[in-house]
Amino acid sequence: MLDQLVLDLSPTPLPGFDNFLAQRNSEIIAALTAEGGERFVYLWGEPGCGKTHLLQAWIAHAELLGRASIYLDAKHEQLPDFAREASFIAVDHVDELAPDDQIMLFSIYNSLKESGEGRLLMAGHQPPMQAPVRDDLRTRLGWGLVFEVKALSDDDKLAALRHHAAERQLAIGDDVFRYLLTHWRRDLASLIGMLDMLDRYSLAMRRPITVPLVKNVLQTAPTES
Amino acid sequence: MTEPENFWPACLTRLEEELSSQQFNTWIRPLSAEAGDEGVVLYAPNRFILQFIKDRFLARIEALAIELLGEVSVELRIGAAAGAPVAVARPAPASSAPRSNGTPAASVDVESAVAKVAANAPAVAPTAKQTAVKAIGGGHESTRLNPSFTFDTLVTGKGNQLARAAAMQIAENPGDPAYNPLFVYGGVGLGKTHLIQAIGNHVYLKNPQAKIRYIHAERYVADIMRAYQHKAFDEFKRYYHSLDLLLIDDIQFFAGKNRTQEEFFYAFNALIEGGKQVIMTCDSYPKQIEGMEERLISRFSWGLTVEIQPPELEMRVAILMKKAEADNTKLDHNVAFFIAQNVRSNVRELEGALKRVVAYARFSNQSITMELVKEALKDILAAGNRQVTIETIQKTVADYYKIKLSDMHSKKRSRDIARPRQVAMTLAKELTSLSLPNIGDAFGGRDHTTVLHACKTIAEMRGNDSEIAHDYDTLLAMLRN
C-alpha cells in the first residue's frame, strides 16, 4: 500500500517569551524585558535548556519595540562589523567564536559600552569565567548580568509537550509523553522534534498517536538526532 | 507597465501587503528611492538597514521591479534620494510603538537627517575623511574619556597603590621625562582603564585646552585601516602627532600588526620628542608581548613601567561598597564581605555579582540580606566551586611537558622533571583551595615547605624567564577552561 502523502502545512510557532516555560527562569525574562535594566546579559547552561529560544524571543521582543535588532549564531556565521549598529544584538554560542570573531565581539562590546546605548545578549555553555575565549572577552561576559538557564524538570517538559501538542491541535495521551521521556532523548528540542515527526507519521499511516505507534517509530528512527 | 516615478509607491503598497507592519515599518519605510530608465536606486539611512534589506528583502524588491518596470537593476546605497520627503523615515503614527518608546523613532529621524545632509553635500569625500579621523573638535567629548573614571572613584589597595601614585604624579605633571611613557600592565579586569582615564580626566580638569585622546588599541588599528581606505592618512597622522596626551589601551592588540606598529612608532616618537605624555596599558610585561617589534618594546620601557595586581579581599569589599554607593544601593558590610570572599578573580566579575544581587532584590521585591545574596548568587557560587582537581592539574602539566604522570609523585630531581612538578604545585596552590600540606601529600608525600619553595621559585622565574611565564599562563588558561 502506498503511504498517504502529507502536505507540509504544519504551523511553526515562533519563539516568544510567552511560549518559553519559565517557572524556574522567570527572573531571566524579567531582566531581559525590563526597561532601563542592565544592557549586557550573559546566559549559560547545558545544550537544550532553551538559550537559543530566549535569544530569539528577545529579538522578537526588540522588533515589537521597533528597534533594529540582529541575531548572530557564532556556530554558523562570522560576526559582521555592521552588527554594532543594531541596538539589540544577540550572540549565540560564544563558546564557538573563532579568534577573529572574539575580537569583533570584544570591539562591539566596547563600542556599546562607550556609547551608553544598545543592548547585548550573549549565550554559551559555560559560566563566564570558564568560557573558552580570550581573557579580555571572558571577563566582559561576566561584567553584566549573568544567569544560568536552568534545564527543565520532567514535569516542565511534560507541560511543554502538552502545550506544543495543543498548539498543533493534536490529541495525545499523557502516557505517550511519559513514554517519550523515558525512551527518547530528553532535551526539549529532541522531544518536540519527535512530536512533530509523530504528527507526520500518524497522518501518513492514518493511525492515532499512541504508545504502540511511538514504539514503532522509535524502532525505525535513528537513535541520535 | 508602471512609470518609473510611480514604481516605489507601487512597490511600497505591495510590500505593505506582504510583510507584517512591524517589518514594514522597521525596514522598508525608512528607505527612499530614485527610479529612472537605467534602473532603481534604493537609499537606506544607515549601513545596518542596508545590510538587512540586502539579506532579506532585496530579492523580492528586484522581482517587483522586473514585474512593474521590466528588466532593470536595483542598487542599494546609503543616504537619501534627492527628492525624498523629510518624513519618509518616520513610521506611520498609527502603527508606531507606544509613546514610551519615542526614542527609536527619533533616532531613526536623526540618522536619516544626517544621511540626507551627507548625501546632499556636494563633496562626500571630506565627510568620509572626518569619520576616519574622529574627534578633532574640542571639549571633553573629543577626549573620549569616561567622566566617571576619576581618582576619587578609584578604590586603592595593595594591588594598585604604586600605579596610582605614579598616575597622580603624571596627572599633575604630564610629559615629565621620568614618567614618559607610562606603561601600566596587569591581568584583565583589574582597573587599568580606570586608572589611565583618571589621569586623562585630571589633566583635562586642570587644562581644558589640552588635546587629549583616549583610544582602545583595537580601535586604533581599525582607524588606521579606515584612514588608508579614505586616503585620509595625512590627517590621521597630523591628528595623532598633535596631541598633548595620548592614552592607548590594551596595546597587546598591536601584536602581529606591522603597519600599525610602524605608524604607532612614528606617533610615539613625535610625542615623546615633543615632551607630550604617552600612556599605555597592556595585559603583560613589555618584554613578554609576542609579535611586537623590538624597537617598540624597548621604547615602552623608557619611562616608568608599573604593574596592577589583583585586588586583595579588603580592596574587593571596598570596591563593592563604592559601587553600591554610586548606584544608591544599600549594602551591608558583611554582605559585601561575603560577595568579595566568593568572587575573587577580577573586578568585572565582582561588579557582575553585585548587579545580579541588585537585580534579584528588585525582582523579588526584597531588601538585600545575606539570605537573598546566597540565593541570588547560587549559580555563580556553584560554578566557582566546580574546582579543578589536583589530579587534573598533574595530568595537564605532565602532558604539556611530555613527562610521565608518575613523575609528578616520583623522587627524581633532574630539572626537566622537577621544574614541571614545581609548576604543577604552584598551579595547585592557585587553582584549588587545598592547604599546602595537602598539596605536598598529593605530590608523593612532600613537605609543605617544598611546596612553598616551588611557589616562590616559579613566581620569581615568571618575572625573569619569559618561557616559564608563557608556559604557566598557557597552563592556567587550559585548566580554567
Side-chain angles (χ1 to χ4, degrees), chain A residues 27 35 38 63 68 82 84-86 106-107 129-130 134 138-140 142-148, chain B residues 22 47-48 51 101 104 188 216 218-219 253 346 348-349 351-352 355-356 360 363 379 383 480-481:
Chain A
E27 192 193 349
E35 289 257 343
E38 171 63 29
E63 281 178 4
F82 71 84
R84 71 177 83 237
E85 289 174 39
F106 175 80
S107 164
M129 292 309 133
Q130 284 149 35
R134 41 186 303 143
R138 175 165 46 231
T139 52
R140 279 167 174 78
W143 203 358
L145 269 178
V146 176
F147 293 104
E148 180 183 4
Chain B
Q22 223 48 262
R47 254 197 316 163
F48 183 69
Q51 191 62 39
N101 301 309
V188 284
H216 191 278
E218 184 267 332
R219 276 282 100 189
F253 269 86
N346 63 70
R348 290 198 187 109
E349 199 191 7
E351 292 186 8
K355 280 178 190 162
R356 181 68 194 276
Y360 188 71
F363 171 73
D379 42 313
R480 283 208 169 123
N481 294 338

Side-chain angles (χ1 to χ4, degrees), chain A:
Chain A
M1 186 190 79
L2 276 175
D3 283 352
Q4 167 82 45
L5 292 175
V6 181
L7 282 174
D8 191 15
L9 292 175
S10 49
T12 32
L14 284 172
F17 286 128
D18 49 354
N19 58 15
F20 183 77
L21 290 178
Q23 279 90 335
R24 291 206 282 162
N25 294 316
S26 51
E27 192 193 349
I28 303 179
I29 295 185
L32 291 183
T33 50
E35 289 257 343
E38 171 63 29
R39 298 191 293 123
F40 299 89
V41 181
Y42 177 74
L43 306 178
W44 63 276
E46 293 161 21
C49 67
K51 299 183 295 297
T52 300
H53 184 116
L54 281 170
L55 261 58
Q56 289 176 343
W58 183 73
I59 290 293
H61 169 76
E63 281 178 4
L64 268 178
L65 297 176
R67 309 297 297 261
S69 60
I70 187 164
Y71 169 85
L72 302 163
D73 186 350
K75 208 179 205 165
H76 298 299
E77 60 198 326
Q78 286 203 309
L79 304 192
D81 185 57
F82 71 84
R84 71 177 83 237
E85 289 174 39
S87 48
F88 280 58
I89 306 169
V91 182
D92 210 349
H93 300 115
V94 291
D95 326 68
E96 307 198 26
L97 283 169
D100 277 356
D101 283 343
Q102 292 180 25
I103 294 181
M104 181 58 77
L105 179 57
F106 175 80
S107 164
I108 290 174
Y109 191 110
N110 290 342
S111 46
L112 287 185
K113 189 98 190 162
E114 223 171 274
S115 73
E117 281 165 24
R119 284 167 167 249
L120 180 60
L121 175 61
M122 299 160 285
H125 293 165
Q126 311 264 18
M129 292 309 133
Q130 284 149 35
V133 293
R134 41 186 303 143
D135 280 349
D136 42 23
L137 179 59
R138 175 165 46 231
T139 52
R140 279 167 174 78
L141 298 179
W143 203 358
L145 269 178
V146 176
F147 293 104
E148 180 183 4
V149 182
K150 306 272 190 339
L152 295 176
S153 68
D154 279 2
D155 283 345
D156 291 336
K157 286 178 195 163
L158 269 180
L161 288 172
R162 276 190 212 114
H163 181 81
H164 186 76
E167 290 249 299
R168 302 186 140 222
Q169 309 197 351
L170 298 172
I172 303 179
D174 263 10
D175 54 337
V176 172
F177 298 139
R178 287 188 198 287
Y179 187 87
L180 277 180
L181 274 177
T182 45
H183 291 80
W184 182 238
R185 290 175 58 89
R186 295 151 54 80
D187 66 287
L188 199 58
S190 301
L191 287 166
I192 296 273
M194 178 47 78
L195 208 56
D196 291 345
M197 183 166 166
L198 288 170
D199 182 17
R200 286 193 298 277
Y201 195 74
S202 85
L203 280 173
M205 301 295 290
R206 281 175 284 187
R207 282 171 59 189
I209 301 178
T210 57
V211 172
L213 180 93
V214 176
K215 277 186 187 161
N216 199 339
V217 172
L218 289 191
Q219 273 161 16
T220 50
T223 43
E224 290 292 313
S225 67

Side-chain angles (χ1 to χ4, degrees), chain B residues 250-321:
Chain B
D250 285 332
I251 201 99
Q252 72 271 13
F253 269 86
F254 286 1
K257 306 242 168 17
N258 296 341
R259 196 77 189 90
T260 305
Q261 289 184 24
E262 188 171 342
E263 277 322 316
F264 183 69
F265 178 76
Y266 295 132
F268 183 93
N269 284 346
L271 290 174
I272 300 281
E273 272 164 28
K276 314 294 184 169
Q277 182 74 43
V278 178
I279 299 175
M280 292 164 286
T281 75
C282 186
D283 66 355
S284 58
Y285 189 69
K287 294 213 163 56
Q288 289 168 4
I289 316 174
E290 279 176 28
M292 189 75 85
E293 283 179 40
E294 208 42 56
R295 55 178 182 171
L296 272 175
I297 290 183
S298 73
R299 273 166 176 74
F300 290 165
S301 331
W302 274 359
L304 181 67
T305 302
V306 287
E307 182 182 6
I308 295 193
Q309 287 173 337
E312 78 281 6
L313 181 63
E314 292 77 19
M315 187 172 160
R316 294 202 296 276
V317 173
I319 289 170
L320 286 170
M321 298 301 283

Side-chain angles (χ1 to χ4, degrees), chain B residues 329-345:
Chain B
T329 305
K330 206 179 142 323
L331 191 67
D332 282 343
H333 191 270
N334 60 342
V335 170
F337 196 82
F338 176 81
I339 301 175
Q341 242 180 347
N342 284 286
V343 181
R344 299 147 173 266
S345 57

